[in-house]
Amino acid sequence: MTREEIESREDESMMDAPQINKPKPEEFFNVNYLRIYYGKRTLFPYSDIHKWLSYGHDGKHPGCDEYYFGRREFSFTLENDVYLRYKSFKNASSMEDAIRSHFPYKIDIGAVYSVDPDKRHAYSQTGSNVFTPVERELVFDIDITDYDDVRYCCSGADVCSKCWPLMTVAIKVIHTSLTEDFGFKHILWVFSGRRGVHCWVCDPKARRMTNEQRSAVAEYFRVYKGNENNARKVALMGYSLHPFLARSYVDYLKGFFEGELQATQSIFSTKDKYEKILAMISDEDIQSELRGKWENSARSSLSEEAISLVRWEQLKNTLQSKKHKAPTLRMCVEEIVFTFTYPRIDLEVSKQMNHLLKAPFCVHPKTGRVCVPIDPNNCDDFDPLAVPTLSQLIEEINSGGSRMDVDDDDDSDTSLLGKSIKFFRSSFLEPLLKSCKEEIESSYKTKIGKSKDSLSW
Amino acid sequence: MEVIRSQKRTPSNDTVSNPKIPLYLTAPQMEVRLEEFELFAVDRLRVLKGVSDGLARGRNPKEMDDLVDTLWKEHMRDPDASVMFNKDIISHFVLRLVYCRSDELKKWFLSMETALFRHRFRLQNFEAQRAIVGEFGLPYKAVTGAELEGLKERLGQVVRSLGQISPTVEAVYYKVPFEEVPDLVASRRVLIQKGYAFVAGSQLVSLVVTQFRSHISKALILTNRKWTTTIQEREKDRLTPIVEALSTSYLGPDYSQSTEYAEISLKDIDQVAKSSFPLCMRHLFEKVREDHHLKHGGRMQLGLFLKGVGLKLDDALAFWRAEFTKKVGSERFDKEYAYSIRHNYGKEGKRTDYTPYACQKIILSAPGAGDHHGCPYRHFSEDNLRAALGRMGLSSRGMEGVMDQVRNKHYQLACTMTFEAVYGTSCDAGINHPNQYFEESQKILKSKTPPAPV
């Protein structure tokens, strides 16, 4: 599209979808579609995002902080990789206006600061550390490229139905721990648009955590300590697993490893593959024993999956009888399972309050897919290859027409994006806002209660 | 705290009924002689420096307990218990003045005082420890009865996961919000349920250390404010000169300005890497040449090291560009990588001139998938480490000594032994900074080469 063509299109009303040729299958994303996506009020859910990030401070209660939303940092990445940081908006409509004038390729959400990010230079002169993050969700980022050493179907940016289940298992393990161990209640899982998932923990307690506390939670979740320089990337010491790891193993990891993973990855079926696993056993004799069994078996009648399962059983039996030989063998079986299945989070993303993370409902520029929420209680049903793309949304507008409004009374809404927005509202936003309002109310009552006392001499 | 010339000192009111370790919650209300002001501070500084040394050498917790005990007895002891107690308090507050004045000084002081507190606490008996917990006014209740019964099995699992073969659960557990014990959470040393951590009596140290650190951190900010607004000017003829002299004497070199030995140019860099880089940097350097890429952690660790050895910004840009453009192309290099190199040299953003990482920091880093930074003595598997040491020229006998240190987790001693084996000389100071390794190595090599003929 040339500049002139783009500009002439801008003259047309943004509310009518222009007549565009049917997109080629690979062309899921382009700038024009993006403009429509942000241009129409019924696609990108501006007011839901605003409500979420206001956490109940809507100005309707005397205890509200009307400047709260305005102290949140956003960043925009524009078409030519131009990066705009420290953007802030005093309300939903100025956020909308800014997005509609820039049409960013990516929108990131940062922390809530002590003062307006926009005006930080005005304040930083009056003393040390006046411009500083005050609140920020506890966030996690899981990217399937960090599993490249244990998936054989894809590598790099690709993802398919064989390796996506690694993300599903990761969601289950982390989500269970966040709710059961840490007691968090307001958790949003979002598809990153291509090959991973993000997690936003929005409880007030979580938002006020210090960097040190965030780091502690990230380390609690960390098990895999590997790169190409070490062979044994998961080292489980001690005589048993910590209850969190034990529960994850029993409830999710073991079953996944012995079932779906064998079917999709067949991790024992070739010499290259099984040598990698043998290298995790820190005893040469056991390695040789198993190698001997596997090298010489010429069973071409069995499927890859069946061969893998047989070899896994052999490995387990051998280790079971020999595990007392050395402390490093005690939990070798579990170590192998953890290496292949346990979540690998990006620690740096979680550790610092000022780290920016992509906003939900953005569109991924390389795939055109919308970053939609994932239901952690039904994550087995989530298919990253079935997520609506920008071109599909535009198609839908062109063909379906007017019924794109997602309003609360419409239970029969079936638009592509509507389902996701409804889910966002009903399972995340509404319970969150309810609890935020309760908190604002009770802390307000406490405050006026206190000041009443101070007046009585 | 009143500082006066030569009047007799009156003891503080709180020497009477307190626990052996003061918490430094409030400034003492007592008079101090000017000479003692400086003397007490210097003695405490010797203790803190000793703690810093111990940590840099990778001493384990038990070794640190013993070290602190020795240091304290050597420098801070007095036959009169109340005098000893007052010296403790006075010296701490004087050092607060000294070390509140910059971020780097604050960070060092906070780390060392916290470590000192931690190990002094560990040396106390359980009753004394509980008394100190009480002093902090922490509202933690012990878990008893049915609730404890219900947790017993999992508490036993935690105990076993920490290396104890029998799951004997302690008698007393405290139910504490998980936020209050971050280091126990991070190392999975506690059971956590619905936001609460169940802390064993023997783990109390974690609880108090977090509180202690948080308190001192806040106090330092307030002290700094007071210093810059009133004290510095008011005391310019009396205390200020003493305070300013005290801070410069005890921090080791940070290698942010390279010394006369350290200028290297781009054309020599491969040869210098082979001859003088410590293993961690050699590995990173080789990987850059091999893969024409490094992930962020590696770029930081190697980049700052090169800055410390005297590689100028322009040469650094040329070096990274030459390698990275083989993989990502010139435009992407300029867009994505040049900025952060300039950032490291203090030419962008908030323009902090970043200092090269010391061993302690490198050892504690966490290289993940695709990373090559970190300390090879800690992060490499035995086979890979042996191969790397072989490439450095170690004989199999020399290697055994090194591997022995590695097995005992004395990573810096392992590096020191490697240094000694490679250069055939002893290094008594011990390696605690990659740039130190480089400088020492260059000193030796330069002293061996004959001067160029005139």
Side-chain angles (χ1 to χ4, degrees):
Chain A
M1 283 247 146
T2 63
R3 212 175 167 91
E4 295 80 60
E5 287 171 83
I6 295 172
E7 277 166 349
S8 70
R9 249 170 237 280
E10 276 181 293
D11 295 339
E12 296 168 37
S13 159
M14 290 305 290
M15 294 311 282
D16 303 319
Q19 293 304 306
I20 324 171
N21 296 326
K22 249 206 155 69
K24 305 188 261 295
E26 56 278 7
E27 199 190 276
F28 295 124
F29 177 92
N30 72 49
V31 166
N32 270 346
Y33 295 170
L34 194 67
R35 287 166 178 238
I36 299 170
Y37 182 71
Y38 287 122
K40 286 185 88 68
R41 292 203 153 78
T42 54
L43 287 173
F44 182 78
Y46 290 102
S47 89
D48 295 273
I49 298 283
H50 173 254
K51 277 190 195 145
W52 164 31
L53 297 176
S54 299
Y55 288 100
H57 292 284
D58 55 10
K60 294 184 183 147
H61 186 280
C64 281
D65 173 0
E66 52 182 307
Y67 303 108
Y68 179 85
F69 182 75
R71 300 203 304 273
R72 168 83 66 170
E73 180 192 358
F74 291 86
S75 78
F76 289 170
T77 307
L78 307 185
E79 188 171 353
N80 312 311
D81 282 340
V82 172
Y83 185 57
L84 304 174
R85 254 202 93 166
Y86 297 113
K87 298 201 74 64
S88 59
F89 314 113
K90 56 185 208 292
N91 52 34
S93 64
S94 43
M95 177 177 76
E96 235 176 281
D97 290 341
I99 293 177
R100 288 232 193 89
S101 70
H102 292 289
F103 295 109
Y105 270 36
K106 186 159 84 109
I107 303 172
D108 285 313
I109 300 174
V112 178
Y113 283 81
S114 49
V115 295
D116 257 25
D118 237 355
K119 306 187 176 72
R120 65 196 184 284
H121 293 305
Y123 287 87
S124 57
Q125 275 135 39
T126 57
S128 52
N129 297 326
V130 177
F131 177 66
T132 187
V134 161
E135 276 191 20
R136 204 272 192 278
E137 295 74 9
L138 175 63
V139 293
F140 298 97
D141 177 359
I142 308 176
D143 186 322
I144 210 163
T145 52
D146 285 337
Y147 293 74
D148 278 358
D149 60 318
V150 292
R151 56 173 183 152
Y152 297 113
C153 48
C154 308
S155 73
D158 298 322
V159 79
C160 71
S161 58
K162 285 185 174 177
C163 51
W164 182 261
L166 286 166
M167 295 289 102
T168 308
V169 147
I171 294 176
K172 289 177 183 169
V173 167
I174 303 288
H175 189 80
T176 306
S177 183
L178 289 172
T179 51
E180 292 302 312
D181 300 342
F182 293 98
F184 292 125
K185 299 195 170 66
H186 302 286
I187 303 171
L188 176 70
W189 287 91
V190 186
F191 175 51
S192 74
R194 185 159 61 158
R195 58 191 199 212
V197 294
H198 296 159
C199 177
W200 298 77
V201 184
C202 304
D203 296 51
K205 220 173 40 142
R207 296 184 336 248
R208 289 168 205 147
M209 281 168 73
T210 63
N211 287 354
E212 190 189 6
Q213 291 158 349
R214 285 161 204 267
S215 189
V217 175
E219 289 292 335
Y220 177 84
F221 287 142
R222 183 169 169 235
V223 170
Y224 180 85
K225 294 182 187 179
N227 54 37
E228 66 187 57
N229 298 313
N230 56 4
R232 191 165 150 244
K233 301 165 170 37
V234 169
L236 298 170
M237 310 304 282
Y239 289 89
S240 89
L241 292 172
H242 180 279
F244 155 59
L245 297 180
R247 178 192 65 213
S248 305
Y249 182 72
V250 167
D251 289 355
Y252 306 118
L253 303 179
K254 182 172 196 286
F256 175 69
F257 183 87
E258 293 183 340
E260 191 167 2
L261 191 76
Q262 299 300 342
T264 54
Q265 304 289 334
S266 335
I267 57 179
F268 289 90
S269 54
T270 68
K271 186 163 171 70
D272 279 341
K273 287 183 182 178
Y274 68 62
E275 279 300 336
K276 198 174 4 201
I277 298 178
L278 289 179
M280 297 182 207
I281 303 173
S282 52
D283 182 295
E284 298 259 341
D285 295 331
I286 299 179
Q287 284 190 22
S288 311
E289 187 183 326
L290 290 167
R291 191 179 288 118
K293 287 196 178 118
W294 300 345
E295 248 165 13
N296 302 320
S297 56
R299 264 177 292 207
S300 53
S301 55
L302 285 175
S303 67
E304 281 201 338
E305 180 184 349
I307 294 175
S308 268
L309 283 167
V310 165
R311 289 178 177 171
W312 175 238
E313 288 302 314
Q314 286 173 329
L315 189 151
K316 275 199 292 186
N317 291 333
T318 311
L319 275 172
Q320 182 59 36
S321 57
K322 303 247 168 84
K323 68 170 161 195
H324 308 290
K325 274 181 87 179
T328 48
L329 291 173
R330 235 181 259 141
M331 288 199 276
C332 190
V333 168
E334 288 86 341
E335 282 174 356
I336 295 173
V337 173
F338 272 79
T339 304
F340 279 87
T341 62
Y342 181 84
R344 301 177 184 188
I345 63 174
D346 184 340
L347 295 165
E348 290 311 311
V349 170
S350 308
K351 285 180 172 179
Q352 305 230 32
M353 282 175 96
N354 59 8
H355 202 289
L356 293 145
L357 192 63
K358 183 160 64 174
F361 295 103
C362 273
V363 180
H364 197 296
K366 301 238 166 61
T367 61
R369 297 204 193 270
V370 181
C371 301
V372 292
I374 300 177
D375 181 357
N377 299 316
N378 284 312
C379 47
D380 286 312
D381 296 338
F382 181 81
D383 179 3
L385 302 172
V387 171
T389 63
L390 200 49
S391 57
Q392 284 172 342
L393 293 177
I394 307 304
E395 248 314 279
E396 189 180 47
I397 296 174
N398 284 347
S399 53
S402 51
R403 300 240 36 199
M404 286 296 112
D405 294 318
V406 182
D407 60 60
D408 301 292
D409 311 340
D410 185 354
D411 287 322
S412 63
D413 174 84
T414 50
S415 70
L416 289 172
L417 202 57
K419 276 188 284 230
S420 292
I421 296 180
K422 261 207 136 49
F423 172 76
F424 179 80
R425 280 179 195 164
S426 59
S427 17
F428 170 69
L429 193 57
E430 276 153 30
L432 172 67
L433 291 180
K434 179 162 181 284
S435 119
C436 285
K437 302 225 156 139
E438 281 165 7
E439 201 209 327
I440 291 177
E441 185 145 353
S442 79
S443 73
Y444 181 69
K445 284 199 178 122
T446 322
K447 211 160 68 168
I448 48 174
K450 273 204 191 118
S451 60
K452 276 205 185 116
D453 287 343
S454 71
L455 285 177
S456 52
W457 298 86
Chain B
M1 191 166 64
E2 281 287 319
V3 183
I4 46 171
R5 282 243 160 233
S6 47
Q7 259 173 279
K8 198 149 195 299
R9 188 186 335 110
T10 55
S12 138
N13 282 337
D14 36 28
T15 43
V16 179
S17 61
N18 358 166
K20 290 199 217 149
I21 310 178
L23 303 182
Y24 317 109
L25 294 172
T26 50
Q29 298 300 314
M30 59 179 110
E31 294 167 340
V32 182
R33 294 206 291 275
L34 195 61
E35 307 83 69
E36 281 175 343
F37 184 91
E38 187 172 1
L39 236 60
F40 286 177
V42 167
D43 281 342
R44 192 185 192 90
L45 210 39
R46 288 196 223 279
V47 175
L48 294 183
K49 175 68 168 134
V51 168
S52 176
D53 251 10
L55 290 173
R57 284 167 194 271
R59 299 266 179 260
N60 67 42
K62 180 77 182 57
E63 289 167 333
M64 285 302 294
D65 289 343
D66 295 335
L67 176 64
V68 163
D69 200 26
T70 310
L71 286 167
W72 195 262
K73 286 190 175 119
E74 195 180 323
H75 299 294
M76 298 295 286
R77 193 160 50 175
D78 193 288
D80 182 338
S82 69
V83 169
M84 191 161 128
F85 192 73
N86 287 343
K87 182 173 172 180
D88 188 350
I89 298 182
I90 292 166
S91 60
H92 172 88
F93 279 91
V94 172
L95 287 183
R96 269 200 209 177
L97 278 177
V98 177
Y99 284 90
C100 69
R101 296 167 306 128
S102 83
D103 280 347
E104 199 160 333
L105 292 172
K106 266 192 265 185
K107 201 168 161 191
W108 186 85
F109 181 70
L110 188 62
S111 297
M112 298 311 133
E113 281 284 337
T114 305
L116 176 63
F117 180 82
R118 172 193 294 273
H119 295 287
R120 286 178 76 192
F121 185 88
R122 281 164 57 100
L123 289 164
Q124 302 296 314
N125 65 38
F126 187 57
E127 281 312 310
Q129 289 184 346
R130 283 182 72 168
I132 295 174
V133 175
E135 279 286 307
F136 272 113
L138 300 172
Y140 307 130
K141 293 199 206 66
V143 183
T144 52
E147 196 182 2
L148 187 60
E149 272 309 304
L151 298 167
K152 265 219 165 97
E153 191 187 328
R154 283 180 295 155
L155 289 172
Q157 259 184 316
V158 175
V159 167
R160 272 171 61 85
S161 78
L162 296 174
Q164 195 178 299
I165 192 163
S166 74
T168 22
V169 168
E170 289 183 32
V172 183
Y173 277 83
Y174 295 89
K175 185 172 172 176
V176 169
F178 79 87
E179 295 95 328
E180 314 258 345
V181 285
D183 52 336
L184 292 177
V185 169
S187 48
R188 289 192 294 264
R189 302 180 78 84
V190 281
L191 175 68
I192 306 179
Q193 184 175 268
K194 291 298 183 197
Y196 288 95
F198 293 91
V199 179
S202 62
Q203 291 174 315
L204 273 180
V205 64
S206 226
L207 250 174
V208 294
V209 167
T210 310
Q211 293 294 321
F212 181 83
R213 163 181 267 136
S214 151
H215 161 67
I216 300 289
S217 175
K218 291 187 193 127
L220 281 172
I221 295 174
L222 292 172
T223 308
N224 185 40
R225 219 165 273 171
K226 260 195 247 166
W227 173 262
T228 46
T229 53
T230 46
I231 306 177
Q232 185 178 22
E233 180 54 35
R234 189 183 74 201
E235 292 292 338
K236 69 180 195 291
D237 300 320
R238 194 174 64 147
L239 299 182
T240 304
I242 301 176
V243 165
E244 282 169 1
L246 277 169
S247 67
T248 51
S249 41
Y250 281 94
L251 293 180
D254 61 5
Y255 301 97
S256 52
Q257 320 291 335
S258 45
T259 69
E260 56 176 293
Y261 284 108
E263 296 267 326
I264 59 170
S265 72
L266 218 42
K267 63 176 168 56
D268 301 327
I269 200 172
D270 287 276
Q271 197 259 323
V272 153
K274 246 204 169 111
S275 67
S276 290
F277 279 14
L279 186 57
C280 51
M281 301 303 173
R282 229 178 108 129
H283 177 68
L284 283 166
F285 185 82
E286 278 168 11
K287 280 294 165 189
V288 175
R289 288 285 192 224
E290 204 181 291
D291 297 340
H292 312 299
H293 192 267
L294 265 189
K295 287 181 96 164
H296 180 259
R299 297 200 298 272
M300 289 301 283
Q301 190 175 310
L302 180 61
L304 290 172
F305 169 77
L306 291 175
K307 185 176 82 151
V309 304
L311 191 68
K312 299 269 172 276
L313 174 60
D314 292 327
D315 283 345
L317 282 167
F319 166 72
W320 293 103
R321 166 185 278 276
E323 285 305 329
F324 275 51
T325 49
K326 288 182 188 148
K327 211 166 184 185
V328 303
S330 172
E331 210 185 285
R332 248 190 88 185
F333 177 79
D334 287 330
K335 205 183 280 186
E336 294 181 19
Y337 299 102
Y339 178 89
S340 51
I341 297 168
R342 293 171 53 79
H343 201 278
N344 283 350
Y345 280 74
K347 303 284 182 231
E348 298 283 1
K350 61 181 173 148
R351 286 163 212 256
T352 313
D353 206 8
Y354 289 98
T355 51
Y357 298 162
C359 289
Q360 205 186 340
K361 181 165 179 159
I362 292 174
I363 288 170
L364 291 174
S365 65
D371 283 324
H372 293 287
H373 62 280
C375 174
Y377 299 98
R378 179 175 184 215
H379 296 117
F380 277 23
S381 68
E382 184 166 329
D383 289 337
N384 285 338
L385 184 56
R386 279 179 189 275
L389 289 172
R391 287 197 294 275
M392 279 190 84
L394 255 65
S395 66
S396 45
R397 195 163 47 101
M399 239 187 266
E400 281 323 305
V402 174
M403 295 313 293
D404 208 44
Q405 295 292 357
V406 168
R407 261 174 242 123
N408 288 318
K409 301 196 191 208
H410 293 138
Y411 308 117
Q412 283 165 248
L413 293 178
C415 189
T416 310
M417 284 190 90
T418 304
F419 181 93
E420 291 174 343
V422 167
Y423 301 107
T425 174
S426 70
C427 174
D428 294 326
I431 298 294
N432 50 43
H433 199 300
N435 288 87
Q436 173 205 9
Y437 184 110
F438 179 83
E439 281 189 9
E440 294 298 318
S441 155
Q442 286 281 291
K443 267 193 214 147
I444 292 171
L445 294 174
K446 290 212 161 105
S447 70
K448 283 185 183 163
T449 52
V454 179

